[in-house]
Amino acid sequence: EGPEHVMGPLSARSALFAYWRGLAICAAGGKYSRLCSALPHLTPQERLCIYSLALHLRLFGDGHYRSGTFQNDLAKNLRNVALPATGVPLSVFCSCRPLALLFAWLLLPLAALVAAVRRPSSGGGSLGGAFASSLLSDWSWFHYWRLNCVLASYHALATSDPGYGLEDKQLFLAACERQGVAASPSLSDRAIVVKHRNEEGGLGLHTFRNAAHGGDWILQPALSNAPSIAKLLPPVAPLSTLRLVTASRASLHQRPAEASSLDEGGVEVLSACFRAGRAGASTDHSCVMFDVDVATGDIRRGTTSAHWYQLGLARARPCPLFSEGHTVEVHPDCGAPVCGEVIPDMASIASLVREAHRKLMPGVPLVGWDVAITAEAGVCLLEANLSCNFFRASFDERVYFAFAEALLGRLEGKAGRC
């Protein structure tokens, strides 16, 4: 295991040269172990920052478990995301490999320089230190999400693990039913017809064929928030869920299903957050994200990432460059206290997602679970997200980075961390 920062904090020049050297080595096919050997003075977080970007470039035209190619998945997921205050959707840079390379090689360092000028305190007061920090180690939610996404893509491509098929929501619900895992209820009808009460002549009529019978649509009864959740929200809030992220150590083995059956404690809950839906929103993707203590269910302060979703110059101009952090204590639409409240029976919720990961997809490294606490069906899983987002929940970063390094070691034929 290499030393971490034996040379002390990085200067702007050393950080930029390390970044470019690492990208050049790894985008051309160099393994993570080679990056560690070439840049032993970097921390695991700094190395993973470089390697994550390099994998984005390397996998660009390769197959993807849900989107045909990795490029397609990038473009689809980044079409509504922009670097704060720019207004330019990041999907623009996914249209071809040269643009993606330009973004990684020049535009990201430029963005790090702008961030350093605007917030020099992040590097201990010096502009050079702030630049080095912004470039390699001052991670936003976006860094963690993209690392999770590229690890999932890399792992799926290398292992063809069947668990990735459960990204299909219908297959997921069917697997939950077979394995006795609590999931949101669905209808068994072959199809349903929806028609407007005042239209005539066949207008306003829509037929939806059930995915369980070969159609495209999952037909489900609407669920509402349980009273313990509804009291934290405005009356017209959407179903507001918990996002728990789990890591399966069975995925580090050659035969994860066997490893999972032998070690029931091999799935760890890394984080939890409560997405408090905004008034009038159709889903809780429009929300305030409150951190949740995995062990106790205590709800901590909340925050948003709305400044990352402002597209176009008109919306980008007044957009803040940085988040204020976790400062929200009450729901902004109704004033209901949220921070200090407790998610009921958090231990059972954590047990549910651990069981689901172990039974349904032990070979998938990281899974983000959407868990609803409902008036109609109690606690149930809505879906599993295999390229998952922590949604700004807190977690032990040392454990997370060590797991990512161990996973890369497994995929690239080297045991353990570098």
Side-chain angles (χ1 to χ4, degrees), residues 172-173 176-177 180-186 220-226 229 239-244 275 284 343-345 348-353 355-356 360 368-385:
F172 171 76
L173 292 175
C176 286
E177 185 175 2
V181 175
S184 53
S186 56
Q220 296 180 299
L223 300 176
S224 59
N225 295 300
I229 300 299
L239 185 67
S240 297
T241 61
L242 297 170
R243 164 60 63 88
L244 283 82
R275 296 182 292 191
D284 63 359
I343 298 295
D345 204 6
S348 294
I349 294 172
S351 178
L352 171 62
V353 297
E355 176 194 26
L360 302 178
W369 304 95
D370 291 340
V371 183
I373 304 176
T374 72
E376 298 82 5
V379 176
C380 59
L381 300 178
L382 298 185
E383 60 185 54
N385 301 272

Side-chain angles (χ1 to χ4, degrees), residues 205-276:
L205 184 146
H206 305 276
T207 301
F208 298 91
R209 290 187 61 212
N210 197 329
H213 297 283
D216 293 326
W217 300 94
I218 296 173
L219 309 181
Q220 296 180 299
L223 300 176
S224 59
N225 295 300
S228 60
I229 300 299
K231 71 178 185 179
L232 310 176
L233 306 166
V236 289
L239 185 67
S240 297
T241 61
L242 297 170
R243 164 60 63 88
L244 283 82
V245 174
T246 54
S248 171
R249 299 204 172 272
S251 67
L252 304 179
H253 296 268
Q254 291 292 334
R255 297 178 178 176
E258 294 179 11
S260 177
S261 65
L262 293 173
D263 180 12
E264 294 189 6
V267 176
E268 180 180 357
V269 181
L270 298 182
S271 68
C273 84
F274 169 55
R275 296 182 292 191

